[in-house]
Amino acid sequence: MRFLLRFASLVALVVAVIAGTIDSIQSVASSAVVLTPMGDAWNDVSPSSLATVRSAISYYVHPRFYDMAMQWLLFQPAFAVFLILSLLLWMVAYKRPAAAGRLGA
């Protein structure tokens, strides 16, 4: 399980770097800071899955949850969302070293 979480963390980190690189290229091209919101990036990649998630959250959780939490999340920069997701997955999969080191029982 730890391996899958680390792999998912790596994938999220790669997506964050790609999103950040795209934002950097667009910022240089337009001579202004460009930050692509998560909702726009998700809609560009797969608009049907965005609609599916919206209907699933509205049906299974609560319609206002989508309006409050998901709308807030979808307006955040895509690279930041994936960086935070990568960090959280890595923290869950992290294994602490033994307290006594190699000689501990």
Side-chain angles (χ1 to χ4, degrees):
M1 188 67 185
R2 187 173 287 147
F3 171 75
L4 292 176
L5 289 171
R6 286 182 183 172
F7 182 72
S9 174
L10 175 69
V11 170
L13 183 62
V14 168
V15 171
V17 169
I18 291 171
T21 303
I22 291 171
D23 286 349
S24 299
I25 292 170
Q26 289 177 348
S27 295
V28 169
S30 67
S31 298
V33 177
V34 175
L35 298 174
T36 305
M38 181 67 189
D40 291 348
W42 194 349
N43 196 24
D44 290 343
V45 173
S46 178
S48 62
S49 68
L50 182 60
T52 303
V53 167
R54 179 180 185 186
S55 64
I57 289 174
S58 297
Y59 181 75
Y60 289 111
V61 181
H62 198 278
R64 290 188 185 169
F65 179 77
Y66 181 82
D67 293 336
M68 293 183 331
M70 286 300 292
Q71 287 296 331
W72 179 83
L73 181 71
L74 293 177
F75 284 122
Q76 301 309 313
F79 78 92
V81 172
F82 282 109
L83 277 177
I84 291 172
L85 178 64
S86 175
L87 176 66
L88 291 174
L89 289 170
W90 179 79
M91 287 171 52
V92 169
Y94 183 73
K95 181 179 179 183
R96 290 189 204 174
R102 294 180 69 186
L103 300 176

